[in-house]
Amino acid sequence: MRKILLLITSLIFQQFSAQNLEVIPLGVYGGIDESNLSSYLVGVKKNNSYLALDAGTLTSGIKRAIALDSFDTITDPQLILKNYIKGYFISHGHLDHVSGLIINSPEDSSKPIYGLTSTIDILKEKYFVNGSWSNFANEGEEPILRKYQYRKITPLQSFPVENTALNAEIFELSHVNPQKSSAILIKHKDEYILYFGDTGADRIEKTNNLDIIWKRIAPLIINKNLQAILIEVSFPNQQPEEKLFGHLTPNLLNEEFIKLADYVGKENLEELNVIITHLKPSGNQIEIIKQELLTNNIFNLNYIFPNQGKKISFE
Ligand SMILES: [Zn+2]
Ligand SMILES: [Zn+2]
């Protein structure tokens, strides 16, 4: 009896203490290596239901994740593509965020694609057309194959991620103003993960898009409900500001986190998980970016440099 009681107590404790969201990176770079471009699966542990955050690389990343046991005993990449990925969030229309989706579309199963109207229009007008591919979606040029359903999402409005236990909210970003990119806040119960597509800093882009997001997530950080932020750092600090092309450097990320610290208090940023995405692998740039982040970690953030296929959980 006592044993059973102990078991029940420990099960209840696990239920409350364990973080349930997990991330499986399928691609982590912002260019050059076509087998490893931006895509992150987010889902609830053991649910086998993921939303793909961007889709630069799919199959190469799934194979790597299988090799690293990130999908437990599953060994068939097609099964993951078709059955585990329940939909795609595409942050913006650049090729390094959509190429895996386009290339894998003939083998994929029917599912929704979420994005800003401007992003969906790029898929509809530039990629899922006869000149560059075939129209696997449900709107646009004939013949319409209707495998994917476009979901045009209004910013700042919560929506359910179909066939998952997740809800989400999208925010506009500026990626060389006036060109738009977007971020997504994923919610499961009282846990959240925030993913940024490519973005410039507010000062450089002359917008307040990041500021809007910092205000939105401030209470989530204060209440310890935000499990992680995935944000890009594409270039090292030496990149001239006029040649950023709508991206961040370690110094610009700090500049933005200083604003966030104003809203949450710097003690609340301590050990916050910040997953750095979209490094551009040119020369020894990646090592320089990592070093610049780690040596000037003014808020003692927990920087995570993701590896393709290696599951990230937040215990
Ligand atoms: Zn990109
Ligand atoms: Zn881009």
Side-chain angles (χ1 to χ4, degrees), residues 72-135:
D72 296 325
T73 54
I74 305 295
T75 54
D76 177 9
Q78 295 263 302
L79 182 79
I80 307 289
L81 177 75
K82 287 182 177 170
N83 294 4
Y84 280 35
I85 299 179
K86 303 295 187 188
Y88 301 95
F89 161 70
I90 302 297
S91 66
H92 66 300
H94 283 163
L95 197 53
D96 56 315
H97 299 255
V98 300
S99 56
L101 168 63
I102 311 293
I103 293 296
N104 283 278
S105 54
E107 295 302 319
D108 206 349
S109 60
S110 175
K111 59 192 73 163
I113 300 174
Y114 306 92
L116 295 175
T117 301
S118 54
T119 307
I120 299 292
D121 283 346
I122 293 167
L123 289 171
K124 187 160 72 180
E125 289 160 18
K126 310 284 187 201
Y127 296 114
F128 286 131
V129 289
N130 299 313
S132 51
W133 202 240
S134 294
N135 186 1

Side-chain angles (χ1 to χ4, degrees), residues 92 94 96-97 175 198 245 247 278:
H92 66 300
H94 283 163
D96 56 315
H97 299 255
H175 184 31
D198 297 359
F245 311 110
H247 292 295
H278 209 267

Side-chain angles (χ1 to χ4, degrees), residues 202-252:
D202 279 354
R203 177 175 61 81
I204 309 281
E205 299 284 319
K206 299 183 174 55
T207 59
N208 64 344
N209 289 320
L210 292 175
D211 193 57
I212 289 169
I213 298 177
W214 301 146
K215 280 183 189 149
R216 169 69 180 89
I217 63 163
L220 307 181
I221 292 179
I222 291 166
N223 294 325
K224 307 289 176 208
N225 293 135
L226 189 71
Q227 304 304 321
I229 296 176
L230 292 92
I231 191 162
E232 71 130 286
V233 178
S234 296
F235 295 114
N237 288 328
Q238 70 195 22
Q239 189 80 4
E241 289 191 350
E242 67 278 9
K243 287 197 175 147
L244 287 169
F245 311 110
H247 292 295
L248 294 172
T249 62
N251 281 346
L252 288 170

Side-chain angles (χ1 to χ4, degrees), residues 49-67:
S49 307
Y50 296 96
L51 175 67
L53 309 177
D54 282 325
T57 294
L58 294 176
T59 295
S60 300
I62 291 170
K63 287 181 175 168
R64 186 82 195 119
I66 288 172

